[in-house]
Amino acid sequence: MSEFDYDLFVIGAGSGGVRASRIAASHGARVAVAEEHRVGGTCVIRGCVPKKLLVYGAHFAEDIHDARKFGWEVADCKFNWDVLRDNVLAEVDRLEGLYGQTLDSHKVTVFKTRATLIGPQKVRLADGQEISAERILLATGGWPFVPEFPGSEHAITSNEVFHLDKLPKRVVIAGGGYIANEFAGIFNEFGSKVTIVNRGDTILRGYDEQIRDRLLQISMTKGIDFKFNAPFQSIEKNDDGTLTVHLENCDAITADAVLIATGRTPNTKGLGLEDVGVELDEHGAIKVGDDNQSSVPSIYAVGDVTNRIQLTPVAIREGQAFADSVFGGKPTVVDYKNVPSAVFSHPPIGAVGMTEAEARNKLGSIRTYTSDFRAMKNVLAGRNERALYKMIVNAATDQVVGLHMIGPDAPEILQAAAIAVKAGLTKADFDATVALHPSMAEELVLLK
């Protein structure tokens, strides 16, 4: 008999925690997981899945308009926020159930409550129950960061945006990252007046400059307003329920809702980490090595709580690598090079590898290839919106080191192209591939 109640106790049943639990259990480990919110974590419950469903819903605004150019007699349509919201939340419920079934089918014990560390190999549940485990995995993810300023309590975050009682006519969104730009596109297509307020002068830091400039241009053309170098001073709630947003270097803005999208921080507060000696970095993230092990040998961490790359597929890979390494006898290390990413803005962005600036700094001699074009569908629809594809090539080796795209279905196209970048293929390999015509993706093999 083991001296521990479980071989593995996981705190957090998000994407990384669920994958680690399932794989560890399949290797024969006795596994338990504690989740204080809902099984599925940020991505399934209040992140990428419900957001993508809203993105799909928002696209119908342009599709219905464009359909008339393609011969469809479309009557004037009215958008019903309540219907979309409720259908999205129902889908979230369904997915949560499937995640629960997965854990149950692998005989993983689920405690639907908060758990905190009280020792290197012991946790305490909210009801006071203490449980021991040979190893503990922290997979508590991230949490929206809300700056402190007067009236910040009147704002919402991406956690609450999916539950709005009604669609706001005017929305102020704080931030310039992917969450801010994605929800700006969503609300704008639904008919809301959208203003993005950024304390700096750049949107989408980390993405290629040409691509983010193109999104800014298109977003402004669509009617989204941008305020740069305008930090929040306060939010005032008015007698009629509206909000007045006071900004530096900018006139006050009246809105029906304010969405704070200024980034996410590792969810490590109140877990008892400091008490057991788990080291954190300056951002509050858990320090781990390539093997996902923390400064305490029996405690590991995966996903956004480690603040390496805050993407769901990365958390899943880390959870799998941890379980295979520790319980499956298959030492595995996650490769963080050339991880593809997307921004589901309107239009969307896909990217993998180095930006032009990064490549120049690292490689020195590079070649860049671009294709700036209107998608065939946009031409017939009379829509002037242009796509932009960009390829970065190491001049010394001809290897493609970066691909950056903005345009219809860019993430779908980029996923396949990312395989080529990951494999280290060359510009000549792209050139030797016959184009699939007519398609937008063929531009990748026709770049000159």
Side-chain angles (χ1 to χ4, degrees), residues 400-419:
V400 178
V401 296
L403 279 176
H404 310 275
M405 309 164 61
I406 180 170
D409 298 320
E412 306 293 341
I413 299 168
L414 190 280
Q415 175 66 86
I419 299 172

Side-chain angles (χ1 to χ4, degrees), residues 128-254:
Q129 181 181 357
E130 297 183 1
I131 298 174
S132 63
E134 184 174 4
R135 293 179 179 86
I136 296 172
L137 176 67
L138 301 169
T140 50
W143 201 253
F145 170 71
V146 179
E148 293 186 6
F149 56 83
S152 61
E153 69 275 10
H154 300 309
I156 61 172
T157 70
S158 56
N159 285 353
E160 298 83 33
V161 71
F162 303 104
H163 301 270
L164 290 172
D165 290 333
K166 60 181 180 180
L167 184 68
K169 294 181 180 180
R170 299 160 298 180
V171 184
V172 170
I173 301 177
Y178 71 94
I179 296 176
N181 283 279
E182 287 172 340
F183 277 107
I186 289 169
F187 281 118
N188 182 65
E189 295 298 335
F190 288 159
S192 301
K193 170 58 183 174
V194 179
T195 303
I196 288 185
V197 176
N198 194 348
R199 65 178 302 154
D201 58 4
T202 303
I203 65 170
L204 295 175
R205 292 186 183 278
Y207 283 85
D208 190 86
E209 185 176 356
Q210 278 185 276
I211 300 297
R212 65 195 191 203
D213 284 350
R214 177 61 56 89
L215 177 62
L216 178 61
Q217 172 196 345
I218 294 174
S219 296
M220 292 174 65
T221 300
K222 289 178 182 290
I224 298 173
D225 193 14
F226 288 81
K227 306 293 184 185
F228 291 106
N229 300 308
F232 271 57
Q233 292 181 325
S234 65
I235 299 176
E236 178 185 354
K237 189 165 187 178
N238 305 313
D239 293 338
D240 61 358
T242 62
L243 303 172
T244 299
V245 181
H246 297 279
L247 309 165
E248 293 183 24
N249 309 316
C250 185
D251 294 337
I253 304 172
T254 301

Side-chain angles (χ1 to χ4, degrees), residues 136-139 268 273 277-281 284-309 314 318-319 322 333-334 336:
I136 296 172
L137 176 67
L138 301 169
T268 54
L273 302 177
V278 174
E279 292 184 13
L280 306 178
D281 67 14
I286 297 172
K287 291 183 179 181
V288 293
D290 291 340
D291 57 359
N292 299 297
Q293 190 176 47
S294 76
S295 56
V296 178
S298 58
I299 298 176
Y300 297 74
V302 298
D304 291 2
V305 76
T306 66
N307 203 28
R308 287 176 284 192
I309 298 180
V314 172
E318 291 172 350
F322 159 78
V333 176
V334 176
Y336 296 99

Side-chain angles (χ1 to χ4, degrees), residues 57-116:
H59 271 297
F60 280 104
E62 293 182 353
D63 289 343
I64 291 171
H65 179 270
D66 292 349
R68 296 182 176 93
K69 288 283 189 175
F70 287 84
W72 291 94
E73 296 181 5
V74 181
D76 290 338
C77 297
K78 178 182 178 182
F79 173 68
N80 190 320
W81 164 254
D82 293 358
V83 172
L84 178 58
R85 178 201 61 205
D86 293 348
N87 286 341
V88 168
L89 294 179
E91 175 63 8
V92 168
D93 290 341
R94 186 186 73 85
L95 292 174
E96 181 187 16
L98 291 178
Y99 269 65
Q101 291 175 23
T102 296
L103 292 173
D104 183 64
S105 66
H106 285 81
K107 296 181 172 54
V108 174
T109 302
V110 179
F111 296 98
K112 294 185 176 181
T113 186
R114 182 175 178 79
T116 55

